[in-house]
Amino acid sequence: AKEMTYNQIKGSAEYILAQTRVRPKIALILGSGLNPIASEIENATRIPYKNIPRWNSTTNPDHEGVLIIGTLDKIPVAVMNGRLHQYEGNSMKECAYPVAVFKAMGIEKIIVTNAAGGINTDYRNGDFVLISDHIKFFNEGPLTGEDASILGGNRFFDMSDTYSQYLRNRVAGAFEAEGGKKLQQGVYAYMPGPQFETPAEIRMLRVLGADVVGMSTVPEAIMAAACNMKVLGISVVSNMAAGVENKKLSGADVNETCASIKEDFKVLIHTAVKVLEEEN
Ligand code: HPA
């Protein structure tokens, strides 16, 4: 895997901070079809990924590829409008690189969002799932070949409460208090894609304890854990996973579901940002 040096991370962070006077405290990564909140960022400075040193560009047309620095409800945030996936040819390290840059910018909290397939048969299309944990198989990881001490951590780092239970419960309580629907909490399985899973793979993942499946989020969450950042992970069930219903899967259906929940999802993000802002 291509090396990631502290100087590169610092160089990307300095480039970004030179474009704006806003100093974000929370990062937000928007998943497929979950970008409508991007238009609510105030005092926005928009930085195309292709201008940021060492930071890869998006190739998926549903992912704009612009970093937005600004405020949401007066809270300074850095919003990735579009993320980097392994299926685009990025290494796990390249997918997760922006998170190391956020850490170097002084950001200690991150919200990672995605559209995901529902494996748990109690879930319904359009449900929101706070990620409680993840499963990733044995291929490369974002820290392969790195010593996380360049990020201020340790080579071997703990993953047992990466998706902080305390934060999940705070967000769930606050969202329900605002009249939001009940949030699910479950395990996210990472599969690299770009093909959707086979029905046999989905049955396997269910046996292993997964509730949702998707092609993102895990590289960024591992990098955030290496950096000692607080992580909140949110999946939107954009379809039931392969074989759960007698139905073919398509990217168009994923986008349609995400469009149908966008107002609720905005409320959830406003709530989550507020909860994270209040935590030290
Ligand atoms: N599988 C993997 N990734 C996904 C899915 C799915 O069913 N839906 C949205 N992203």
Side-chain angles (χ1 to χ4, degrees), residues 203-243:
R203 289 193 299 273
M204 170 192 77
L205 292 171
R206 181 180 296 120
V207 168
L208 297 181
D211 297 296
V212 287
V213 58
M215 307 173 193
S216 68
T217 299
V218 164
E220 298 120 336
I222 294 173
M223 184 66 81
C227 295
N228 285 313
M229 292 165 78
K230 292 200 164 101
V231 182
L232 183 76
I234 306 173
S235 290
V236 174
V237 178
S238 59
N239 55 282
M240 293 312 285

Side-chain angles (χ1 to χ4, degrees), residues 240-256:
M240 293 312 285
V244 176
E245 293 171 339
N246 190 14
K247 201 171 165 240
K248 283 198 173 189
L249 307 191
S250 77
D253 290 344
V254 168
N255 289 341
E256 193 182 308

Side-chain angles (χ1 to χ4, degrees), residues 65-120:
V66 171
L67 179 66
I68 306 171
I69 311 281
T71 57
L72 187 69
D73 303 325
K74 308 224 154 60
I75 300 165
V77 291
V79 180
M80 279 181 74
N81 196 18
R83 64 143 56 81
L84 305 170
H85 302 87
Q86 202 178 10
Y87 65 70
E88 297 172 89
N90 298 299
S91 66
M92 291 288 272
K93 193 171 304 188
E94 287 165 331
C95 295
Y97 180 77
V99 178
V101 174
F102 292 146
K103 173 74 174 189
M105 290 165 60
I107 295 175
E108 301 283 354
K109 302 165 186 174
I110 186 163
I111 302 173
V112 280
T113 69
N114 60 68
I119 296 176
N120 186 326

Side-chain angles (χ1 to χ4, degrees), residues 20 30 36 68 94 167 194 222 263:
T20 170
L30 299 178
I68 306 171
E94 287 165 331
L167 278 182
I222 294 173
E263 294 308 322

